[in-house]
Amino acid sequence: MSFFSFGQSAEIDIVLKDAETRKKVEHKTEDGKKDKYFLLYDGETVSGNVNVTLKNPGKRLEHQGIKMEFIGQIELYYDRGNHHEFVSLVKDLARPGELTQSQTFDFEFTHVEKPYESYTGQNVKLRYFLRATVSRRLNDISKEMDIVVHTLSTYPELNSSIKMEVGIEDCLHIEFEYNKSKYHLKDVIVGKIYFLLVRLKIRHMEIDIIKRETTGTGPNVYHENDTIAKYEIMDGAPVRGESIPIRLFLAGYEMTPTMRDINKKYSVRYYLNLVLIDEEERRYFKQQEITLWRKGDMVKKSMSHQAAIASQRFEGSSSAEKALAQAQAKEQEQ
């Protein structure tokens, strides 16, 4: 729906070229609700039509030009007056003149670079959108359409396990191990906890997944911690020599890939937080960062080449064909 002020005599509608077949995904809006948007990937062409419909057929509409923009921007909530644009493309659809009837204009942005994933957080929002504008002397007529971008990557070559110790001298000695340090968003965290020395009366132990959003720079840095998941390891006292297995499925939780220093504006990191609580309600913590990423083989076959471009950019590989072959092989496995 578009709402225009009094005196405007046209409405604008933006239609993507493959709107009937393109996948839609849910994405959180600023007010916390979820809406569905068209999904695009890095390197993919964005094309379609702009329909300009006259409200009063037969009455001419004078304009100063018609244009289409593709914009990627970051908005920091504490600095709402400034929108930081990292992608800004413009296509002129019509020169200044007049419209005497409703008209459709084609647009195409070829192999558009979309380097960052769409994100709506506590203090920051990164969005991509198309904006069609009919320029007029007094008041422009415009329409925006948000889209969602997912960043894809291939399997990390190096994915070492995590081994850590928790110790309080002469009271507690625990070792815990996770099978790897990098997980895709549908992955399973597999691990084990070993109790080597237990002289504290521990009554509860859990693992939390903590999401930490950092915005700003220098003195204007803001941190927002959010507990995404709680996984109870044990409820009761462990004994020396005991080991407890861990299996934590990530698919059920709402998470994004790890984002580091996005356009020098914000970061989103994830941590595994081991929490022990003794009978006197004292809490002991041990935290370890993990890396989350989005699987590149979830892309459709028709987009395999564009997935390869995205994977190549993320990994810095020397050959897009190699990434393409990997993506196609994984599609066949599924």
Side-chain angles (χ1 to χ4, degrees):
M1 290 291 291
S2 297
F3 299 92
F4 301 111
S5 60
F6 180 78
Q8 292 176 333
S9 54
E11 289 187 350
I12 299 175
D13 188 31
I14 302 171
V15 181
L16 291 182
K17 185 177 181 180
D18 53 358
E20 292 184 0
T21 57
R22 178 168 292 279
K23 182 180 179 180
K24 282 189 170 184
V25 294
E26 285 191 341
H27 187 74
K28 189 171 68 173
T29 59
E30 197 174 325
D31 58 6
K33 297 178 181 178
K34 288 184 179 179
D35 286 328
K36 285 198 168 184
Y37 301 93
F38 288 112
L39 174 64
L40 284 90
Y41 298 92
D42 182 24
E44 193 175 1
T45 295
V46 183
S47 60
N49 309 109
V50 177
N51 301 320
V52 181
T53 305
L54 299 183
K55 288 185 177 180
N56 303 308
K59 182 180 178 181
R60 68 180 185 176
L61 172 68
E62 294 184 0
H63 62 85
Q64 304 302 308
I66 301 173
K67 66 180 180 180
M68 169 63 82
E69 299 169 272
F70 181 88
I71 296 172
Q73 71 179 23
I74 298 172
E75 179 182 349
L76 298 167
Y77 296 162
Y78 61 82
D79 188 23
R80 284 187 179 272
N82 294 318
H83 293 159
H84 307 277
E85 294 186 359
F86 55 88
V87 175
S88 181
L89 305 174
V90 182
K91 295 281 185 182
D92 290 321
L93 306 181
R95 295 180 178 181
E98 61 181 39
L99 295 177
T100 57
Q101 61 183 4
S102 299
Q103 196 166 338
T104 297
F105 302 90
D106 298 331
F107 69 89
E108 181 176 85
F109 298 99
T110 307
H111 302 309
V112 181
E113 182 179 359
K114 312 173 198 71
Y116 311 123
E117 175 140 343
S118 300
Y119 177 70
T120 303
Q122 299 284 339
N123 291 316
V124 63
K125 176 171 64 177
L126 187 149
R127 64 186 284 243
Y128 295 87
F129 60 95
L130 291 162
R131 180 166 60 206
T133 304
V134 177
S135 300
R136 304 182 69 192
R137 282 196 177 92
L138 296 178
N139 50 350
D140 294 344
I141 306 171
S142 65
K143 173 71 177 288
E144 292 183 358
M145 184 177 82
D146 280 80
I147 61 173
V148 167
V149 170
H150 282 175
T151 56
L152 303 176
S153 61
T154 54
Y155 289 91
E157 292 182 6
L158 297 175
N159 199 353
S160 57
S161 61
I162 300 174
K163 294 182 180 180
M164 298 180 65
E165 294 186 5
V166 178
I168 302 173
E169 189 173 357
D170 296 330
C171 294
L172 182 68
H173 188 187
I174 298 174
E175 287 183 355
F176 57 100
E177 180 178 356
Y178 305 115
N179 59 331
K180 50 191 176 182
S181 56
K182 300 174 184 177
Y183 300 88
H184 63 75
L185 298 180
K186 306 291 184 182
D187 217 334
V188 183
I189 296 176
V190 178
K192 212 162 194 179
I193 296 181
Y194 303 93
F195 295 87
L196 305 179
L197 176 64
V198 184
R199 290 178 180 169
L200 290 176
K201 293 183 178 180
I202 298 172
R203 67 171 183 83
H204 182 78
M205 180 184 294
E206 67 184 29
I207 286 181
D208 304 336
I209 299 178
I210 306 294
K211 171 186 169 185
R212 180 173 298 159
E213 175 187 291
T214 303
T215 53
T217 56
N220 299 318
V221 173
Y222 299 86
H223 298 286
E224 290 286 347
N225 289 340
D226 186 17
T227 302
I228 303 295
K230 286 180 177 289
Y231 176 83
E232 184 179 284
I233 299 171
M234 48 158 278
D235 190 8
V239 297
R240 180 180 177 181
E242 188 174 2
S243 65
I244 299 177
I246 299 168
R247 291 183 68 86
L248 178 55
F249 293 83
L250 300 181
Y253 302 107
E254 188 176 310
M255 294 186 288
T256 67
T258 295
M259 305 176 185
R260 292 188 174 92
D261 201 21
I262 300 299
N263 205 235
K264 298 183 179 179
K265 296 291 186 293
Y266 70 94
S267 297
V268 179
R269 290 181 163 89
Y270 292 88
Y271 298 85
L272 289 177
N273 191 37
L274 180 67
V275 183
L276 291 79
I277 304 174
D278 67 16
E279 290 187 345
E280 297 180 7
E281 295 297 324
R282 289 177 297 198
R283 301 171 73 90
Y284 306 91
F285 303 92
K286 190 73 172 183
Q287 199 169 87
Q288 173 67 37
E289 183 176 2
I290 58 173
T291 300
L292 298 183
W293 52 282
R294 192 180 296 280
K295 286 179 69 173
D297 59 354
M298 297 174 70
V299 69
K300 295 179 181 178
K301 286 186 179 180
S302 61
M303 296 171 53
S304 294
H305 179 64
Q306 288 149 350
I309 294 173
S311 297
Q312 182 189 30
R313 180 176 289 122
F314 185 89
E315 293 293 328
S317 62
S318 59
S319 170
E321 286 78 16
K322 179 181 176 182
L324 170 59
Q326 291 175 342
Q328 290 174 333
K330 287 166 189 170
E331 287 169 354
Q332 292 171 359
E333 290 174 3
Q334 290 187 339

